[in-house]
Amino acid sequence: MNKNDIKEAGLKITQPRVQILKILETSKEKHFSAEDLYQLLREEDSKIGLATIYRVLTQFETAGLVIRHNFEGGQAVFELDKGEHHDHIVDMKNGKIIEFHDEIIEQRQIEIAKEHGYKLLDHSLILYAEPE
């Protein structure tokens, strides 16, 4: 993703949008709350306020650039929508979010829907766990 993705999504290219998109693209972390982004931007001496970050994230979500997750026990987090399906494990001790993809689980969910007379259109699988 880059500045052109902002424009192609029907949004004007602005400094806050570019800075937020850059963090989402380049960070090792993949899931961010608005507060996480605010702290990272402050470390870069950015003057972007928390309200602007929320507004940009909502605009990005509407435009299909990010996905919002509302995991249990935590605030909303956002990740870039790369068009690739994956599921999540949420570590309930430290809040860490782990992405995974398992083809057997994917196939089984399709089969279960079919067994009940349904065609699976979409799904979200979130495992809440703690370290052993």
Side-chain angles (χ1 to χ4, degrees), residues 36-107:
D36 294 334
L37 291 168
Y38 179 70
Q39 290 302 321
L40 290 169
L41 288 164
R42 292 209 27 145
E43 290 171 13
E44 296 177 1
D45 290 326
S46 174
K47 303 291 188 235
I48 299 172
L50 192 54
T52 299
I53 293 168
Y54 275 108
R55 188 169 48 255
V56 168
L57 289 171
T58 300
Q59 292 165 345
F60 280 3
E61 179 185 16
T62 301
L65 296 175
V66 300
I67 300 169
R68 175 193 307 253
H69 298 285
N70 293 299
F71 298 126
E72 232 174 83
Q75 57 199 347
V77 293
F78 298 83
E79 69 175 308
L80 282 179
D81 185 353
K82 296 180 181 174
E84 301 166 355
H85 174 76
H86 59 269
D87 297 304
H88 298 93
I89 298 173
V90 177
D91 183 324
M92 297 303 287
K93 291 241 186 226
N94 66 21
K96 181 178 178 182
I97 301 167
I98 300 149
E99 295 180 353
F100 73 95
H101 179 82
D102 185 295
E103 198 52 48
I104 294 170
I105 292 173
E106 297 301 314
Q107 187 58 41

Side-chain angles (χ1 to χ4, degrees), residues 111-130:
E111 292 167 3
I112 291 168
K114 189 172 185 173
E115 288 168 11
H116 291 276
Y118 291 91
K119 176 183 173 187
L120 187 65
L121 300 176
D122 193 13
H123 78 278
S124 173
L125 177 64
I126 305 166
L127 304 176
Y128 296 95
E130 60 183 35

Side-chain angles (χ1 to χ4, degrees), residues 23-41:
I23 290 172
L24 292 170
E25 290 176 327
T26 61
S27 177
K28 290 180 185 176
E29 293 296 321
K30 296 182 180 180
H31 302 85
F32 297 92
S33 68
E35 290 78 8
D36 294 334
L37 291 168
Y38 179 70
Q39 290 302 321
L40 290 169
L41 288 164

